[in-house]
Amino acid sequence: MIKTGEFLALLTAFCWTVTSLSFEAAGKRVGTLALNLIRLVIAFVFIGIYSFITNGSPVPLHVSAFTWKWLLFSGFIGFVLGDFFLFKAYIYIGARVSMLLMALAPFFAAGIGFLLLGETLGPLQLMGMAITITGIAIVVAGHPGASASKTDARKRLLGIIYAIIGALGQGGGLVISKFGIGTTNAFVATQIRIIAGIVGFIIIIIVSKKTQNVVRALRDKPAFKFMLAGAFFGPFLGVSFSLAAVQFTSTGIVSTIISIVPVLLIIPAIFLFHEKIKVREISGAVLSIVGVGMLFL
């Protein structure tokens, strides 16, 4: 029997694989701050259209104040803190080390889920989480990412701290979403979270005086196409699927399954970019698949 929550989490991972490729291409052209704001605005429009068709209203006016409060908070924690510090970590310690530290997100989600929601995991689920994360770590560690060998000790320490905060933001944001979502439609809940993300990044962009970057990004037609695709599969479908997933199963399991994106990226690396995949990466991928399979048992 297919488990709904785990299946939705797997769909999320596939969506985020597409969006990571799209946003990587867009980010190289327009920068991360402009990318973060524009992708959320586009996703807000997508969900607005979806909500208008399904509910007759483009904005979630019918949602309770309790749900609004906690989903806005989770949107700030997940979208703003999580993503902002992750991208900062990329600069200081490179994507490879950052992604290794992001593997802490499922453990943060499981711990916060236990404290806030009373979620518990059985021995088989804990073993599945551990095996999956180990496989992801093997894949990421074996992939030639950006090197941080020339960074000084202070920058490296800052990068590690930023990556851990990013993992905490992603894991914690998911748990807080589950706390606030109740029976609210996942797409509606995502739209509320996106509002917090948009406001947060507007403040960051204004404070950092990067408004011209956003204007230039909007004029970049190739980048906009990538942002459009990334927003559709990321904040619109991917985040909504992840929120739907936590309505059916624990946040630790959902976060673990979503974390297999580096493993899924092996497929386009082979067929689209013709990269040579090491035996170590294949071994890690197999291990992750075994671990995820255990979470479906």
Side-chain angles (χ1 to χ4, degrees):
M1 182 179 177
I2 295 176
K3 292 186 175 181
T4 304
E6 286 78 358
F7 177 72
L8 287 168
L10 194 57
L11 276 181
T12 303
F14 278 106
C15 285
W16 284 4
T17 301
V18 176
T19 201
S20 66
L21 293 170
S22 302
F23 286 153
E24 180 182 358
K28 289 176 180 178
R29 296 181 64 92
V30 302
T32 57
L33 273 180
L35 168 61
N36 270 298
L37 176 59
I38 295 170
R39 66 163 182 150
L40 292 178
V41 172
I42 295 172
F44 183 85
V45 173
F46 279 140
I47 297 178
I49 295 170
Y50 169 85
S51 296
F52 182 75
I53 294 172
T54 56
N55 300 320
S57 174
V59 290
L61 300 176
H62 61 286
V63 178
S64 69
F66 174 88
T67 300
W68 265 94
K69 177 179 69 177
W70 285 105
L71 289 178
L72 284 172
F73 182 46
S74 74
F76 176 76
I77 295 296
F79 282 129
V80 183
L81 285 185
D83 290 348
F84 177 76
F85 282 104
L86 173 60
F87 289 133
K88 291 284 285 185
Y90 284 165
I91 296 171
Y92 287 105
I93 56 175
R96 180 176 59 83
V97 179
S98 298
M99 290 177 70
L100 273 173
L101 292 169
M102 284 301 293
L104 293 171
F107 296 105
F108 285 137
I112 299 171
F114 173 75
L115 294 173
L116 189 62
L117 305 173
E119 293 181 337
T120 56
L121 298 171
L124 186 63
Q125 293 171 317
L126 289 171
M127 187 180 298
M129 279 183 64
I131 291 173
T132 303
I133 299 303
T134 300
I136 294 167
I138 291 172
V139 170
V140 175
H143 191 273
S147 174
S149 59
K150 294 183 180 180
T151 59
D152 58 41
R154 181 177 175 277
K155 286 186 177 180
R156 185 171 179 81
L157 178 60
L158 273 176
I160 291 171
I161 293 171
Y162 288 156
I164 292 174
I165 293 174
L168 184 60
Q170 288 204 4
L174 194 62
V175 177
I176 296 168
S177 293
K178 181 170 184 174
F179 182 76
I181 192 172
T183 57
T184 305
N185 177 276
F187 286 91
V188 171
T190 299
Q191 191 178 38
I192 296 174
R193 294 186 76 222
I194 285 174
I195 291 171
I198 290 173
V199 173
F201 279 112
I202 286 175
I203 293 172
I204 292 172
I205 287 169
I206 291 173
V207 171
S208 59
K209 299 179 181 179
K210 300 288 186 180
T211 52
Q212 287 301 315
N213 291 16
V214 178
V215 176
R216 283 195 293 269
L218 289 171
R219 293 173 178 170
D220 191 320
K221 291 183 179 179
F224 190 80
K225 291 178 182 178
F226 285 121
M227 288 188 283
L228 201 64
F232 182 82
F233 286 100
F236 175 47
L237 288 184
V239 174
S240 298
F241 286 154
S242 72
L243 295 190
V246 298
Q247 291 179 309
F248 291 95
T249 190
S250 74
T251 51
I253 289 176
V254 172
S255 186
T256 301
I257 295 174
I258 291 172
S259 296
I260 67 168
V261 172
V263 176
L264 296 179
L265 283 170
I266 291 176
I267 299 171
I270 295 173
F271 293 104
L272 295 180
F273 307 116
H274 308 291
E275 294 182 11
K276 292 183 179 179
I277 305 301
K278 300 176 182 177
V279 175
R280 178 178 181 175
E281 293 174 84
I282 295 173
S283 301
V286 171
L287 199 61
S288 292
I289 292 169
V290 170
V292 169
M294 292 174 67
L295 296 176
F296 275 83
L297 296 177

